[in-house]
Amino acid sequence: MFRRQGLSPTDMTALSGAHTVGQARCSTFRDRIYSNESDNIDASFARQQRRTCPRSGGDGNLAPLDAQTPAAFDAAYYDNLMARRGLFHSDQEVFSGGGGSQDALVKLYSDNPALFRIEFVAAMVKMGNINPLTGTAGEIRANCRVVNS
């Protein structure tokens, strides 16, 4: 889907770095930190997140997307992924630890924050040039995760 819009896997890996700033509601990451089947999350990180996000309730409780440097736009997000400390499952999928091309790119961005910034900017420009659907061809969603009915 992203390729059809002209975005490459490199662009997507760079764009995921936007998660170096911001916060997430507990309801969006609870399954990841309580999953017994997830071997791609650091156990101490999961325990730390559980203090903010109980198994039930607290849906609106917030946690930083990047616990290491939550207020800085930097490459620490990629360090977190290599340590299996991605808050979202989708973020952690960017780095599997299996040695694939995206793993190599995550390591490269971690080692070279200047390259991350350059490639993030280029990917943002590409994304900004995607033509949105307009008029009756598109819709403004009431909930961004759900197609309007």
Side-chain angles (χ1 to χ4, degrees), residues 87-111:
L87 189 61
F88 295 137
H89 178 78
S90 59
D91 284 341
Q92 194 60 57
E93 287 296 307
V94 173
F95 183 84
S96 68
S101 61
Q102 298 317 109
D103 285 4
L105 190 54
V106 166
K107 173 124 177 52
L108 184 61
Y109 288 161
S110 174
D111 292 340

Side-chain angles (χ1 to χ4, degrees), residues 2-3 5-18 78 94 102 105 109 116 118-127 130:
F2 295 110
R3 191 173 305 263
Q5 298 298 327
L7 297 172
S8 70
T10 297
D11 294 328
M12 297 310 299
T13 300
L15 289 169
S16 75
Y78 298 103
V94 173
Q102 298 317 109
L105 190 54
Y109 288 161
F116 157 62
I118 289 166
E119 293 193 351
F120 178 83
V121 168
M124 283 294 288
V125 169
K126 281 173 85 172
M127 190 171 67
I130 294 172

